[in-house]
Amino acid sequence: EAGVTQFPSHSVIEKGQTVTLRCDPISGHDNLYWYRRVMGKEIKFLLHFVKESKQDESGMPNNRFLAERTGGTYSTLKVQPAELEDSGVYFCASSTVDSTDTQYFGPGTRLTVL
Amino acid sequence: QKEVEQDPGPLSVPEGAIVSLNCTYSNSAFQYFMWYRQYSRKGPELLMYTYSSGNKEDGRFTAQVDKSSKYISLFIRDSQPSDSATYLCAMSAASGYALNFGKGTSLLVTP
């Protein structure tokens, strides 16, 4: 069974540009989470989808971040326009409805904003 | 005050040593406690999961939760060089909710 995959693995963009990160959860996992780790800080929660619905988006830092999960499969996280403080590693995790306490993480996307 | 505190280390031990990793937390609503292991340039991998207080053992790993002290621990017996990684504690108030992570402790097990 394939794990959580994320694309790209690394992105370098200029301040003011737009970047879109993609996450493909494990097949059959209705729960999808986005987290972010800024250098020197702990991993922090951004938002949680159940299928295509946003269950909790309390961790989204501001309206420059837009997450979607059309069709309840893969998810995208768009940052527009990117700022220097958006640099970090963005992780996606997924879990089943029956085993919500076991979140499986992807390898992350390392975003560098110059 | 951060909700989850974890000493970032680094912690260096010789092969075969017993390793003790710890986290403290401030939110008494936390009920679910996890330990993740993260190798360099990889995503966190769930190692141990405990609900509420108590101990849980899995091979060389033992997780302990003391809710009265708001303190959780992970013990690694007979540590191996392959155990060298960053260990992250994480916790949540309810199953399926957002995880709250510690900063992670970097562990190096030397042959």
Side-chain angles (χ1 to χ4, degrees), chain B residues 4-42:
Chain B
V4 182
E5 297 277 4
Q6 183 176 11
D7 187 338
L11 181 62
S12 182
V13 301
E15 182 175 356
I18 296 175
V19 176
S20 173
L21 304 168
N22 313 291
C23 287
T24 59
Y25 63 95
S26 58
N27 189 343
S28 58
F30 290 150
Q31 298 275 4
Y32 296 82
F33 304 91
M34 298 91 176
W35 285 95
Y36 282 82
R37 178 175 61 195
Q38 186 178 19
Y39 292 111
S40 181
R41 302 285 173 163
K42 301 286 187 183

Side-chain angles (χ1 to χ4, degrees), chain B residues 76-107:
Chain B
I76 307 174
R77 290 183 298 281
D78 187 25
S79 55
Q80 303 295 308
S82 58
D83 294 328
S84 299
T86 295
Y87 290 80
L88 302 148
C89 64
M91 46 200 80
S92 69
S95 182
Y97 278 33
L99 295 179
N100 297 269
F101 281 88
K103 274 191 174 183
T105 299
S106 176
L107 172 66

